[in-house]
């Protein structure tokens, strides 16, 4: 079943272990953003959440097996990006302590 929420259009997978909101979050993460702030505005419009709350939900979501089964390439990419950002933050913190 196709769902259109604002400019986000995606097919709800009725067989997925994820609920519709989680599927919408992953669909939003598949999009490319041309302008700074466009994604944050879409987050507010689609989910009525602040960007911080959205990213907390996203980080919890990509750690689930259900999300990995739903869209393995996207979830692995998001995990890899998160890990890279974490390592960069840790390196900066360690460099500041020296």
């Amino acid at each position: 079943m196709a769902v259109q929420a604002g400019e986000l259009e995606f097919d709800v997978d009725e067989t997925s272990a994820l609920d519709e909101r989680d599927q919408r979050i992953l669909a939003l993460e598949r999009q490319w953003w041309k302008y700074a702030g466009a994604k944050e505005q879409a987050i507010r419009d689609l989910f009525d959440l602040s960007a911080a709350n959205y990213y907390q939900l996203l980080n919890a979501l990509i750690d689930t097996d259900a999300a990995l089964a739903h869209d393995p390439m996207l979830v692995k990419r998001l995990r890899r990006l998160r890990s890279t950002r974490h390592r960069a933050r840790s390196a900066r913190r360690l460099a500041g302590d020296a």
Side-chain angles (χ1 to χ4, degrees), residues 2-58:
V3 173
Q4 187 170 356
E7 293 184 19
L8 180 66
E9 187 171 326
F10 70 102
D11 291 325
V12 175
D13 182 358
E14 302 291 337
T15 63
S16 176
L18 298 176
D19 62 18
E20 184 179 329
R21 184 193 69 178
D22 290 344
Q23 290 183 43
R24 288 172 57 201
I25 288 172
L26 292 177
L28 182 70
E29 288 301 313
R30 275 187 228 105
Q31 304 298 309
W32 290 96
W33 303 96
K34 229 178 189 183
Y35 305 106
K39 183 175 182 181
E40 285 72 19
Q41 185 62 47
I43 290 167
R44 281 190 295 278
D45 294 345
L46 295 170
F47 302 106
D48 195 30
L49 294 170
S50 69
N53 286 32
Y54 170 82
Y55 286 112
Q56 288 174 341
L57 287 173
L58 175 63

Side-chain angles (χ1 to χ4, degrees), residues 49-77:
L49 294 170
S50 69
N53 286 32
Y54 170 82
Y55 286 112
Q56 288 174 341
L57 287 173
L58 175 63
N59 279 314
L61 175 60
I62 64 174
D63 286 334
T64 65
D65 291 335
L68 185 62
H70 181 77
D71 195 337
M73 288 182 63
L74 174 67
V75 170
K76 287 178 184 178
R77 180 175 61 86

